[in-house]
Amino acid sequence: MSERMIIPFGPQHPVLPEPIHLSLVLENEKVVDVLPSIGFVHRGLEKLVEKKDFLEYTFVAERICGICSYMHGMGYCQAIENIMNIEIPGRASFLRVIGAEFSRIHSHLLWLGLCADAFGFESLFMHTWKLREQILDLMEEMTGGRVIFSSVKIGGVKKDVDDSLLSKINDVLLELEPQVKEISSVFLESITVRHRLEGVGVLTQDEAVSLGAVGPMLRASGINQDMRKLGYAAYAELDFEPIIDTEGDSMARCRVRIKEIFQSMDLIRQAVAKLPQGPIAAPFKGNPDGEYFSRLEQPRGEVIYYVKGNGTKFLDRMRVRTPTFANLPALIKVLKGCDLADVPILILTIDPCISCTER
Amino acid sequence: MLEKQITEEIEIDKLFSRCAELKFCGYRLVQIGCTRTVSGVEINYSFDNNFQFLNLRISCEKDQTVPSIQSVYECAFIYENEIAELFGITITDMKINFNGLLYKAAVSTPFGETAAETKAVR
C-alpha cells in the first residue's frame, strides 16, 4: 500500500488569490480525500443585518462579492419587494436583466482569463481580460461603477439608461461578439487547452444532482436547470433556453460558460429592443413583515436569499446561500481520484468565489 | 413575479422520514438555513422540484439535537457542518463530520446568541 501524505492547498495559492484551504490526502500523485476549510476572511455580513436597517443593507448585500455585486443587490431587493408586495415598474425589470447579463458576461470572461492563466496560457489570459474591459466600461456608463454598482434599489433601479447608451450597448456587443468567438475557438480547439480540460474532473449527471451542484457545474453534466426560467425580473418576457452539455468534464463546464456569454449578449439585445418607457422605481413605505426565499441565477449558479422581517426597520435574518458553497460537495467529489497536477484547474472549473462564500 | 413557496412546519422526529418522502418524489435539496429565535433556532430545509419550492421547518429548543439527513441527501453535509459550527447546534449521525474544522472563524459559533451590543443598537 502506498504511503499517504497530506498536502495543503491554500489559503494562499497562485492560482486562486482568494483564501480557501484544502487538505489534500495523497497516495503517490493521486488525491484520495479532501478536507475543505473556509472562514479565513469571514466578514459576518449576515450578522450585520442585526445592526443595519433594511434600506442600508442593500449596500451591504452588494458588497458580498465584487463580481456578482449587481445580482447580490438584486436578489436582496427582490426578497424585500416580495415581502412588501412592491411591484417594480417594467422598465426597471428590463434594466435589471441588462445589468445582470452584463455581470454574467463579465464574470465568465473573468473566469476564462483565470482558466487560461492557470494552465499557463498568458497571452490568452490577457486577451480575454482585454475584452472584459469593454463590458466593464459599459457597466460603468450604465451604473456609475465598475465593481460596486449601487444601481439596484428596493422598488426598482436608481439610474435610467438613455437612448444613446442603448444604441452604444448594441454597437459594442456587435463589435465584441466576433472577438469573443475568436478567443472561444482557442479555448475549444487548441490542443494545449483540450489536453488540460478534456476528461478531467468528470461529474456524472447522477453525481451532480445528488451533490447539489448548481449553475454551469450542473448544466455541464446534462441537467436542464436555470433559475432565470422562474421568470424573475423580465426573464419571462425573453426568449432563451438553458445551455447544457453532457460530458460533465472541465471542458464541458468551459463550453457552457462560453455559450452563456453569447446567450447573455442575445438576452441584452432582446431586453434593449423590448425596453418599455416609464418610471424606473416604485415608491413604497413601511417595513418588511414576513419572509421570502428569493432565487436568482448568478454566473456561478443558483443563489438563495432568505429574508425575514418583523415589521421593524431591522430584519430578523438575512441568509445567502451562495452557488460556490453549494458546489463545494461536487468539488470534493471531482478532486477525489484526480492527479495532484490537476487540482488547481479543477478548483477553477467550479469558478469558485470565496468572497461570496465568506459573506 | 411572486414565486409560490410552501412552508411546512414539522416536528424534529418527522424530519428524516419527510425528507425521504421528498427525495422519493424527486425533490432536490436547495439549502439548509438556520435562524435564531428567542428560545432556540428554527431550521429551514428548502427543496425544489421543477421550480416547485417547498420548505420544511423545524424548531429546535436549546439542548435539543437534530438528526442528520445526509443518508437521504448526500449534499446535506456541507449545510449541516455549517449549522453545527456557526450556530452550535448538535446534529446527530452525520456521515461526514468536519468536527469544527470547516470554518476558521475567530469566534466560535458566531451565530450562537444575539450579542449584547446588537440589542443595544436596536
Side-chain angles (χ1 to χ4, degrees):
Chain A
M1 189 180 155
S2 312
E3 192 182 337
R4 288 194 170 190
M5 65 175 113
I6 296 174
I7 300 266
F9 181 98
Q12 297 299 323
H13 192 278
V15 125
L16 189 66
E18 293 185 287
I20 182 170
H21 173 82
L22 299 168
S23 294
L24 304 169
V25 182
L26 299 183
E27 269 182 19
N28 297 329
E29 289 283 310
K30 289 274 181 212
V31 177
V32 293
D33 206 356
V34 184
L35 177 68
S37 293
I38 53 177
F40 294 94
V41 287
H42 197 71
R43 291 165 293 162
L45 299 184
E46 290 181 357
K47 186 82 175 167
L48 205 55
V49 83
E50 294 169 3
K51 294 182 181 175
K52 300 280 179 195
D53 77 45
F54 75 99
L55 293 170
E56 285 177 312
Y57 199 81
T58 311
F59 301 105
V60 179
E62 287 188 322
R63 281 157 177 79
I64 290 173
C65 164
I67 305 167
C68 353
S69 160
Y70 194 95
M71 285 193 239
H72 277 301
M74 189 170 151
Y76 170 74
C77 289
Q78 202 170 274
I80 297 285
E81 285 154 9
N82 277 303
I83 293 170
M84 298 180 74
N85 288 318
I86 302 166
E87 191 161 337
I88 69 165
R91 189 171 178 86
S93 299
F94 278 85
L95 289 175
R96 283 185 180 184
V97 167
I98 295 172
E101 293 309 317
F102 271 137
S103 296
R104 197 177 316 279
I105 299 174
H106 135 59
S107 176
H108 284 350
L109 285 173
L110 180 129
W111 178 82
L112 284 169
L114 288 174
C115 185
D117 183 50
F119 49 64
F121 208 146
E122 292 298 316
S123 57
L124 186 58
F125 155 61
M126 285 187 271
H127 197 88
T128 309
W129 277 31
K130 182 182 155 208
L131 300 183
R132 174 174 160 263
E133 282 300 306
Q134 296 179 50
I135 297 297
L136 289 178
D137 289 344
L138 280 179
M139 290 193 85
E140 187 176 10
E141 272 196 64
M142 190 179 153
T143 64
R146 288 170 70 85
V147 179
I148 303 295
F149 305 106
S150 291
S151 174
V152 180
K153 68 172 186 176
I154 297 167
V157 293
K158 286 183 192 158
K159 201 175 167 194
D160 205 351
V161 175
D162 60 21
D163 289 344
S164 65
L165 182 54
L166 290 175
S167 156
K168 186 177 178 184
I169 287 172
N170 277 330
D171 293 344
V172 171
L173 290 181
L174 203 64
E175 265 181 46
L176 191 63
E177 194 164 359
Q179 296 176 54
V180 177
K181 271 190 184 138
E182 190 185 10
I183 59 153
S184 303
S185 64
V186 182
F187 278 100
L188 301 176
E189 292 161 24
S190 161
I191 187 71
T192 318
V193 180
R194 286 173 57 193
H195 180 68
R196 293 305 307 273
L197 299 182
E198 278 183 353
V200 177
V202 176
L203 190 69
T204 66
Q205 200 166 347
D206 288 345
E207 287 167 344
V209 173
S210 67
L211 293 169
V214 294
M217 188 84 180
L218 179 70
R219 291 191 287 276
S221 296
I223 306 293
N224 186 342
Q225 181 187 292
D226 188 324
M227 285 305 117
R228 289 176 291 179
K229 280 289 176 188
L230 278 169
Y232 64 85
Y235 285 108
E237 296 172 55
L238 304 175
D239 182 29
F240 73 102
E241 284 303 320
I243 306 286
I244 58 168
D245 205 293
T246 51
E247 300 298 316
D249 59 358
S250 298
M251 182 52 102
R253 298 192 266 278
C254 182
R255 267 197 301 270
V256 167
R257 291 191 179 103
I258 285 173
K259 287 178 183 171
E260 284 187 355
I261 292 174
F262 296 111
Q263 183 186 53
S264 292
M265 288 179 179
D266 181 49
L267 283 168
I268 293 169
R269 285 195 199 97
Q270 287 187 49
V272 167
K274 292 181 177 175
L275 187 66
Q277 293 299 326
I280 56 166
F284 68 96
K285 55 184 178 182
N287 297 317
D289 191 3
E291 59 182 338
Y292 194 76
F293 291 86
S294 170
R295 301 199 284 168
L296 276 85
E297 188 70 26
Q298 279 190 344
R300 292 164 182 77
E302 176 193 40
V303 63
I304 316 275
Y305 290 83
Y306 171 61
V307 174
K308 186 177 184 183
N310 52 16
T312 71
K313 64 179 181 174
F314 294 107
L315 298 172
D316 268 349
R317 180 81 164 113
M318 205 295 288
R319 168 178 161 74
V320 194
R321 199 282 273 130
T322 59
T324 298
F325 193 71
N327 278 331
L328 283 179
L331 172 67
I332 293 169
K333 166 69 190 67
V334 296
L335 285 175
K336 285 181 186 174
C338 80
D339 288 332
L340 178 61
D342 287 330
V343 169
I345 200 75
L346 280 176
I347 292 173
L348 266 183
T349 61
I350 74 159
D351 193 5
C353 182
I354 307 304
S355 180
C356 282
T357 309
E358 304 282 31
R359 71 280 174 201
Chain B
M1 196 189 83
L2 197 64
E3 182 193 359
K4 193 179 173 193
Q5 300 186 339
I6 300 165
T7 296
E8 277 181 32
E9 295 201 14
I10 58 168
E11 297 297 320
I12 294 177
D13 57 359
K14 300 275 191 309
L15 174 69
F16 189 85
S17 57
R18 188 72 184 105
C19 287
E21 282 171 19
L22 292 175
K23 172 91 173 181
F24 184 74
C25 295
Y27 280 84
R28 72 182 169 94
L29 178 68
V30 173
Q31 65 105 32
I32 307 175
C34 197
T35 304
R36 185 146 288 284
T37 58
V38 178
S39 57
V41 293
E42 61 180 29
I43 307 179
N44 293 304
Y45 294 74
S46 307
F47 301 88
D48 176 277
N49 185 8
N50 202 19
F51 298 122
Q52 284 185 306
F53 190 84
L54 176 67
N55 201 40
L56 297 184
R57 178 169 299 161
I58 57 169
S59 294
C60 180
E61 303 294 316
K62 280 176 190 166
D63 304 327
Q64 265 188 306
T65 60
V66 178
S68 169
I69 60 162
Q70 286 180 35
S71 50
V72 182
Y73 286 100
E74 196 179 345
C75 60
F77 77 84
I78 199 81
Y79 303 108
E80 289 180 346
N81 277 283
E82 181 186 50
I83 288 170
E85 293 186 23
L86 295 186
F87 285 83
I89 308 296
T90 306
I91 298 174
T92 55
D93 303 322
M94 284 205 283
K95 280 165 72 181
I96 300 175
N97 187 347
F98 295 132
N99 288 312
L101 295 174
L102 178 62
Y103 273 94
K104 302 273 186 196
V107 182
S108 68
T109 65
F111 284 83
E113 281 181 17
T114 306
E117 72 271 19
T118 304
K119 288 175 187 162
V121 169
R122 287 188 174 201

